[in-house]
Amino acid sequence: MSGPDERELLLVGVGIMGRPYVAAARRLGLRVRGVESQDWAAGIEGLVDAVEPSQGQYGSLDELWAQTAHDAALRSRPAGIFGFTECHVLGAALAQETHGLPGPSLGAAVISRNKALQRGRFRAHGIGQPDHLLTNDLSEAAEWAKARLPVVIKPLSSAGSDGVELVTDAAAFDAAAVRRASERPLLVETAVEGPEYSWEALVRDGEVWFANLTAKTTTGAPHFVELEHRAAVSLPPAEAAQVAELGRSVIAAIGMRTGIVHLEFRMTSSGPSVMEVAVRTPGDYIMELCSLAYGMDWFELVLRLVVGDELPPPPEGPVKFSASLFVVSDPGEVIAVDGLDEVRAHPAVVDAAAKVRVGDTVQRAYSSLQRTGYAVLAADSREELEEAIGFVRRTLSIKTVPVATEE
Ligand SMILES: Nc1ncnc2c1ncn2[C@@H]1O[C@H](COP(=O)(O)OP(=O)(O)OP(=O)(O)O)[C@@H](O)[C@H]1O
Ligand SMILES: [Mg+2]
């Protein structure tokens, strides 16, 4: 048990994405107890003060993560509990609730984990969103869907665009109904059009302390794999006001209390339409982008909220313009990874890497997992940022050749 002068953070899941939280905890003088998947536990031993191995696995088995978090919290009486990724949100929220510690709230965590519950709440609160139908049997949704094409079919609680599919005609819907007959439940939604954004807010007791707007581009239909994020973008005043109002309404609708929220929406001709909300850390380096853009470590700000520490004055605006971009390669065998050294040498490039090596096989990109490389950039002006993005796009090349067995 940690003494009063030795506060402990219970970090549910460390992996790779949790490491900046460990570093931030150290700066705040917190001991770190890491709940970690059994397979990864040995890898974090030197990094944290105590390891709690869990049978949970990344991307699934929320219940097992929750059990380990619960047991650990009972023994260690932490000053704060935090889970940063989808499968940790529920366990962390349960434990926060049990120990009366700050967090998004159990209700917000449950809703965050389930897109159908989100749709229900947003409807009740008059929040813009696609028309939708929850079904246990896609074939039974055919009539509804065919009257509203194009539609998007999606699972209730996946991430990384996995299983998210745009269907544009009746025959394709019937084919999806056959192919996905064993998947249930599923959401069918009208496909809304408009540029995509995410809104990341640091929230304390239900009030927005600071929010960032990120513009996003994807591969588009059918699988919408994310390609670029630009942080600290600004909209014309009328639209900016709509977004601020949207953020407040969503926080109220899901009953979020304290932590970080990541809201995804499209700006349609009739205002914002919500794709989904999550009371967790955004992926795709958006935290790093926010930290770069506002000159403040967002991981540390989140932990301050989680342990109830004071916050500094909020940033007045961006001090840099930042972006992350991802490479999607054609399916096949990787024959060349070129340009990485030049890209890393560029003054606006903060970080860049390839996720594959020559000889690896790349699958068709149907989710974020199949992306083959990335870069994180920051520049003093939007123009310089765009120039640097162009440079990285031209220079970083991950080439593949089709493999005979590919379709
Ligand atoms: N109803 C819709 N209309 C238009 N586009 C949609 C719709 N639903 C989903 N999309 C597109 O698919 C993407 C992924 O959908 P969603 O966010 O619901 O799934 P996800 O698996 O949680 O994705 P991620 O983890 O990548 O955010 C969205 O960002 C958007 O580009
Ligand atoms: Mg999403």
Side-chain angles (χ1 to χ4, degrees), residues 24-36:
R26 299 279 183 236
R27 286 198 300 278
L28 295 172
L30 296 163
R31 271 173 57 89
V32 180
R33 182 175 295 268
V35 174
E36 188 54 284

Side-chain angles (χ1 to χ4, degrees), residues 31-388:
R31 271 173 57 89
V32 180
R33 182 175 295 268
V35 174
E36 188 54 284
S37 146
Q38 274 169 352
D39 308 344
W40 284 65
I44 64 156
E45 252 158 33
L47 194 73
V48 296
D49 301 293
V51 183
E52 303 280 350
S54 176
Q55 289 175 13
Q57 283 166 19
Y58 278 89
S60 69
L61 308 180
D62 298 24
E63 296 82 354
L64 296 177
W65 288 105
Q67 192 57 52
T68 316
H70 177 81
D71 295 350
L74 273 185
R75 273 184 280 107
S76 64
R77 301 283 162 183
I81 302 172
F82 184 65
F84 58 87
T85 186
E86 285 286 329
C87 57
H88 304 135
V89 163
L90 267 182
L94 277 164
Q96 286 156 353
E97 162 130 330
T98 302
H99 296 278
L101 291 168
S105 85
L106 188 50
V110 170
I111 294 168
S112 168
R113 202 73 184 94
N114 184 317
K115 289 176 187 171
L117 288 178
Q118 293 176 29
R119 293 291 179 229
R121 282 292 169 106
F122 298 155
R123 179 165 19 201
H125 284 251
I127 292 169
Q129 63 175 345
D131 285 344
H132 53 275
L133 182 74
L134 176 62
T135 183
N136 252 333
D137 182 350
L138 271 187
S139 62
E140 281 176 11
E143 196 187 338
W144 185 93
K146 287 175 188 176
R148 290 168 178 82
L149 292 166
V151 296
V152 174
I153 302 172
K154 59 170 79 165
L156 303 196
S157 53
S158 71
S161 305
D162 201 8
V164 177
E165 179 183 3
L166 180 87
V167 173
T168 50
D169 61 66
F173 188 88
D174 291 334
V178 173
R179 178 165 33 82
R180 303 183 72 163
S182 63
E183 266 183 81
R184 60 187 55 173
L186 287 168
L187 261 178
V188 186
E189 302 181 349
T190 54
V192 297
E193 277 182 45
E196 274 200 84
Y197 296 92
S198 65
W199 181 84
E200 291 73 37
L202 297 162
V203 181
R204 188 171 46 189
D205 295 330
E207 299 285 337
V208 176
W209 177 78
F210 187 75
N212 163 73
L213 187 64
T214 300
K216 124 159 125 178
T217 61
T218 73
T219 52
H223 295 301
F224 305 101
V225 174
E226 284 147 330
L227 287 178
E228 286 169 11
H229 300 271
R230 288 167 173 78
V233 293
S234 48
L235 291 173
E239 289 187 1
Q242 281 182 324
V243 171
E245 177 50 30
L246 175 75
R248 280 192 294 272
S249 312
V250 167
I251 286 169
I254 66 173
M256 164 146 197
R257 300 303 302 163
T258 296
I260 183 158
V261 59
H262 172 61
L263 168 67
E264 297 181 323
F265 64 95
R266 282 183 187 268
M267 202 50 147
T268 74
S269 52
S270 55
S273 179
V274 175
M275 301 285 97
E276 63 164 335
V277 67
V279 291
R280 60 155 170 83
T281 306
D284 283 1
Y285 304 99
I286 290 176
M287 291 291 275
E288 283 80 357
L289 301 187
C290 289
S291 302
L292 289 162
Y294 302 105
M296 276 184 180
D297 187 285
W298 274 48
F299 297 97
E300 184 179 319
L301 293 169
V302 170
L303 290 190
R304 283 180 181 275
L305 289 166
V306 162
V307 296
D309 279 1
E310 272 188 29
L311 293 167
E316 281 169 20
V319 293
K320 288 243 181 207
F321 297 91
S322 54
S324 58
L325 55 93
F326 296 86
V327 180
V328 168
S329 306
D330 291 332
E333 185 186 325
V334 178
I335 53 161
V337 176
D338 290 323
L340 201 50
D341 291 339
E342 290 103 299
V343 162
R344 284 182 175 148
H346 191 284
V349 174
V350 178
D351 181 20
K355 297 275 206 188
V356 292
R357 284 189 293 205
V358 170
D360 285 352
T361 304
V362 177
Q363 306 294 323
R364 187 173 300 285
Y366 58 84
S367 92
S368 311
L369 292 177
Q370 285 86 36
R371 297 177 301 188
T372 52
Y374 74 89
V376 174
L377 296 88
D380 290 328
S381 69
R382 293 189 202 281
E383 294 70 30
E384 282 172 60
L385 179 66
E386 291 311 317
E387 227 169 86

